[in-house]
Amino acid sequence: MARLEQIPKSEPTFNDLMIMAQNNIMARTNCHNVGRIIEFDKTTQTCTVQIMQLKQFFDKTFAAAPITDVPLIIYGMGDGFITLPNPVGTICLLFFMDRNIDSFLETGELYEPDNTRLHDFSDCIAITTFSTLNNPIENYDDTAITIAYKKIVSDVIYNSVIKNFGNSIQLKVSTDSNTTQINISDKVNIENTSQNLASLIQELIGEIKALTVNTTSGAVMPTSQDNLDAIAQKFTELLQ
């Protein structure tokens, strides 16, 4: 890591002093930074954030203390909003407000700053997420609006995705062994890895057409009954 700039032993010029003063002001001004959320309170929607940038003091580096009670920006408008799963571990972008915002956080109304605090860690808010170069979003689809979520349940990884393509919508849930999806456009398609609703309906119609019954009792013949039971099982595998 680069060392702090050493002051030349020769007498500094006016320009040198101005540059040092400017650099000193910028070094002390908190504007934006990156952090990782290490705790989240879903009741207050505030989090504790670890700043990812190490601090340097002479030849030693150290991690800054975590910032607590940081409001997390929730995307929304009026009474509508979008919530996301637990953000702990997520990289976030930190903004340090120009002035003290304690009163605003308490009331949400016009306010006077409680004190003259400027660009302070105490007046921090966070927005998630952005990806670093070593963990970009996989299979990024630039043809659709995508909502995706990956969750592990009993060592099984579930991937749920909703995609809006403008002229169609796709809903899909996948595991290692099965994928179930619904596609909605001018027609509706429901299928999983082994069954397709449209094909099952056609199979059922075909079996109804070929249905045989006992002419005496009116009961469905065993062969037809077995075929109908098999189709019913396929519907069970596809639909709840």
Side-chain angles (χ1 to χ4, degrees):
M1 181 176 291
R3 294 174 176 270
L4 293 173
E5 182 179 354
Q6 300 296 314
I7 300 177
K9 294 183 178 180
S10 59
E11 183 176 350
T13 65
F14 177 76
N15 285 340
D16 292 333
L17 293 175
M18 292 299 294
I19 291 174
M20 285 190 292
Q22 178 180 329
N23 289 340
N24 185 267
I25 292 173
M26 290 191 295
R28 293 173 179 270
T29 301
N30 300 303
C31 187
H32 306 96
N33 215 319
V34 291
R36 175 176 283 122
I37 297 174
I38 57 178
E39 294 180 2
F40 177 68
D41 185 336
K42 67 178 182 180
T43 302
T44 62
Q45 290 96 62
T46 59
C47 51
T48 299
V49 180
Q50 176 67 62
I51 291 182
M52 303 304 292
Q53 178 187 350
L54 295 174
K55 301 295 183 180
Q56 182 181 6
F57 186 75
F58 289 99
D59 292 333
K60 294 184 179 181
T61 58
F62 59 93
I67 306 175
T68 60
D69 299 320
V70 178
L72 183 64
I73 293 178
I74 307 297
Y75 181 76
M77 182 180 299
D79 293 330
F81 53 86
I82 298 174
T83 65
L84 298 174
N86 190 341
V88 170
T90 299
I91 295 297
C92 59
L93 182 60
L94 303 175
F95 299 86
F96 303 98
M97 300 294 100
D98 293 344
R99 302 290 187 273
N100 178 311
I101 60 171
D102 289 346
S103 294
F104 176 76
L105 294 178
E106 293 174 358
T107 67
E109 303 293 340
L110 292 173
Y111 75 102
E112 292 184 5
D114 291 344
N115 53 43
T116 58
R117 194 166 66 208
L118 306 174
H119 295 279
D120 194 89
F121 278 11
S122 300
D123 302 306
C124 177
I125 61 175
I127 182 172
T128 60
T129 180
F130 69 86
S131 300
T132 58
L133 296 179
N134 73 331
N135 69 338
I137 296 173
E138 296 180 1
N139 303 316
Y140 190 102
D141 191 339
D142 61 357
T143 66
I145 297 173
T146 302
I147 300 175
Y149 181 37
K150 180 186 293 185
K151 185 176 183 179
I152 300 177
V153 181
S154 301
D155 296 327
V156 178
I157 299 177
Y158 290 86
N159 291 284
S160 59
V161 178
I162 301 174
K163 291 189 177 184
N164 186 334
F165 293 96
N167 62 343
S168 65
I169 297 175
Q170 180 188 82
L171 298 87
K172 180 168 65 175
V173 177
S174 299
T175 66
D176 291 338
S177 60
N178 188 54
T179 296
T180 300
Q181 65 180 30
I182 301 175
N183 296 294
I184 304 172
S185 56
D186 57 333
K187 296 181 179 180
V188 178
N189 179 59
I190 301 175
E191 65 181 358
N192 61 17
T193 302
S194 57
Q195 308 295 344
N196 177 283
L197 182 58
S199 298
L200 284 178
I201 291 175
Q202 292 300 319
E203 185 178 350
L204 177 60
I205 292 173
E207 186 57 39
I208 292 174
K209 289 180 178 179
L211 188 65
T212 57
V213 296
N214 186 302
T215 56
T216 302
S217 64
V220 176
M221 297 296 289
T223 301
S224 292
Q225 184 64 58
D226 290 343
N227 292 340
L228 289 172
D229 288 342
I231 294 174
Q233 178 59 36
K234 292 179 181 179
F235 272 103
T236 301
E237 294 172 0
L238 177 63
L239 304 174
Q240 288 186 338

